[in-house]
């Protein structure tokens, strides 16, 4: 885990966090304009943690005015110390850049739209990221191109066991299960 704090840390972090192009040519930057880019970033983290299976669930609860996003993997998981620092934008396990803005930006997006984030992880048991957003909040980021995000994930790791579920109230909107390991 690398933790960096500098003067003007917000400006430096945003500039340093631009990740450029990732699988399939989707641009992921420190702005992360839609939730599908957050999903792509978190799945990339799961793959870096040796995940063989990833489950992505999106649920719109219209009467409750909530949008729930959950990403679960079977990767290495995190110990308590790493889990505690995972939402700090100035800490990362990556060696390619000195900041890790994926989870902190998702947490910020959730908070800005009246929601919250939860991170559950144990070594050897994988990681689950749960984010909740107020569905009608004017600052909630749009879902974005979920289909392209799924294509990008599967293009970069065709052997990945990927399960995707999108529901609205009790109605199934979309589902995908590649099987996998």
């Amino acid at each position: 885990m690398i933790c960096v704090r500098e003067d003007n840390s917000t400006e430096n972090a945003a500039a340093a966090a631009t990740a450029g192009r990732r699988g399939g040519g989707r641009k992921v930057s420190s702005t992360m304009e839609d939730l599908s880019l957050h999903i792509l970033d978190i799945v990339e983290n799961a793959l870096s943690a040796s995940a063989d299976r990833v489950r992505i669930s999106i649920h719109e609860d219209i009467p409750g005015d909530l949008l729930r996003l959950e990403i679960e993997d079977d990767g290495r998981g995190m110990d308590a110390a790493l889990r505690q620092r995972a939402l700090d934008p100035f800490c990362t396990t990556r060696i390619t850049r000195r900041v890790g803005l994926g989870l902190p930006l998702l947490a910020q997006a959730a908070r800005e739209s009246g929601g919250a984030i939860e991170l559950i992880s144990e070594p050897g048991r994988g990681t689950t990221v749960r984010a909740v957003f107020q569905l009608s909040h004017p600052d909630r980021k749009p879902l974005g191109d979920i289909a392209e995000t799924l294509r990008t994930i599967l293009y970069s790791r065709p052997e990945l066991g990927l399960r995707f579920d999108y529901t609205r109230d009790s109605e199934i909107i979309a589902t995908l299960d590649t099987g996998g390991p």
Side-chain angles (χ1 to χ4, degrees), residues 16-143:
T18 301
R21 301 240 174 238
R22 295 185 184 162
R26 298 220 49 206
K27 185 171 181 162
V28 179
S29 71
S30 62
T31 58
M32 297 241 199
E33 291 135 8
D34 61 56
L35 295 177
S36 68
L37 294 176
H38 287 285
I39 292 168
L40 185 61
D41 186 71
I42 292 168
V43 171
E44 181 181 87
N45 291 345
L47 297 175
S48 295
S50 303
D52 292 318
R53 288 206 46 81
V54 173
R55 185 182 57 80
I56 302 167
S57 298
I58 299 172
H59 178 72
E60 291 182 31
D61 175 359
I62 306 296
D65 195 28
L66 295 174
L67 175 72
R68 292 184 186 96
L69 169 64
E70 182 171 298
I71 304 165
E72 180 181 4
D73 70 62
D74 67 349
R76 284 190 299 271
M78 295 181 261
D79 62 23
L82 179 55
R83 204 172 47 249
Q84 195 170 18
R85 294 187 311 257
L87 296 175
D88 181 344
F90 301 99
C91 291
T92 184
T93 58
R94 295 180 180 175
I95 57 172
T96 56
R97 63 181 193 243
R98 299 183 333 167
V99 293
L101 288 177
L103 284 170
L105 282 176
L106 179 60
Q108 178 183 347
R111 283 190 307 270
E112 287 176 350
S113 64
I117 192 167
E118 180 180 17
L119 181 62
I120 303 161
S121 188
E122 291 182 39
R125 294 187 172 259
T127 299
T128 300
V129 176
R130 291 183 185 134
V132 178
F133 308 83
Q134 182 184 352
L135 189 58
S136 66
H137 198 287
D139 292 329
R140 183 184 57 82
K141 293 183 181 215
L143 283 175

Side-chain angles (χ1 to χ4, degrees), residues 1-23:
M1 172 69 65
I2 300 167
C3 295
V4 177
R5 296 229 184 248
E6 299 178 12
D7 294 316
N8 302 320
S9 56
T10 304
E11 292 85 12
N12 292 337
T18 301
R21 301 240 174 238
R22 295 185 184 162

Side-chain angles (χ1 to χ4, degrees), residues 58-62 166-173:
I58 299 172
H59 178 72
E60 291 182 31
D61 175 359
I62 306 296
Y166 187 143
T167 59
R168 182 175 299 128
D169 297 328
S170 60
E171 180 183 351
I172 297 171
I173 304 298

Side-chain angles (χ1 to χ4, degrees), residues 129-165:
V129 176
R130 291 183 185 134
V132 178
F133 308 83
Q134 182 184 352
L135 189 58
S136 66
H137 198 287
D139 292 329
R140 183 184 57 82
K141 293 183 181 215
L143 283 175
D145 193 343
I146 297 294
E148 182 61 27
T149 294
L150 296 174
R151 275 193 291 279
T152 299
I153 293 166
L154 291 172
Y155 177 76
S156 66
R157 287 283 299 272
E159 73 282 2
L160 178 68
L162 180 64
R163 169 86 189 186
F164 172 76
D165 295 297

